[in-house]
């Protein structure tokens, strides 16, 4: 259940932050969001440790992307906490 919650949270985060990307940075945002979404789809289809790690890495890349540049430190910390809570065991 915890993993499902994190997955749903990530989908909401992806949808919410794409809209906040600046035009010149849209490609980076879309690419990072697309990679995270694809990794989520694979992970939800097969919740193996490898797929979990790939999904977690894609989420981390997304958080590190330019999409999150306009968020406050508190918001970034909240997203980072959610990624850190995803245990791949």
């Amino acid at each position: 259940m915890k993993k499902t919650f994190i997955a749903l949270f990530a989908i909401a985060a992806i949808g919410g932050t794409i809209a906040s990307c600046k035009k010149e940075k849209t490609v980076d945002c879309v690419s990072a969001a697309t990679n995270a979404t694809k990794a989520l789809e694979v992970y939800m289809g097969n919740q193996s440790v490898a797929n979990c790690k790939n999904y977690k890495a894609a989420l981390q890349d997304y958080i590190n992307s330019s999409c999150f540049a306009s968020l406050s430190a508190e918001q970034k910390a909240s997203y980072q906490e959610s990624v850190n809570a995803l245990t791949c065991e």
Side-chain angles (χ1 to χ4, degrees), residues 3-5 15 20 23-24 32 35 39 44 48 53 55 60 62-64 66-67 70 75 81 83 85 88:
K3 290 180 181 182
T4 302
F5 171 75
S20 69
K23 280 192 173 187
E24 65 271 8
N35 290 342
M44 294 307 290
S48 68
K53 288 180 180 180
Y55 173 52
Q60 188 63 58
Y62 183 58
I63 288 174
N64 294 339
S66 60
C67 297
S70 64
Q75 289 170 316
E81 185 178 311
V83 171
C88 298

Side-chain angles (χ1 to χ4, degrees), residues 4-85:
T4 302
F5 171 75
I6 291 173
L8 294 175
F9 176 79
I11 291 170
I14 290 168
T17 57
I18 285 177
S20 69
C21 291
K22 295 180 181 178
K23 280 192 173 187
E24 65 271 8
K25 296 181 180 181
T26 301
V27 174
D28 294 336
C29 293
V30 171
S31 176
T34 300
N35 290 342
T37 302
K38 286 180 182 178
L40 173 61
E41 289 172 357
V42 171
Y43 176 60
M44 294 307 290
N46 177 6
Q47 295 186 358
S48 68
V49 172
N51 288 341
C52 178
K53 288 180 180 180
N54 289 337
Y55 173 52
K56 190 171 183 175
L59 284 178
Q60 188 63 58
D61 288 344
Y62 183 58
I63 288 174
N64 294 339
S65 76
S66 60
C67 297
F68 281 72
S70 64
L71 298 181
S72 70
E74 185 177 294
Q75 289 170 316
K76 290 178 185 178
S78 177
Y79 284 116
Q80 186 63 56
E81 185 178 311
S82 296
V83 171
N84 293 345

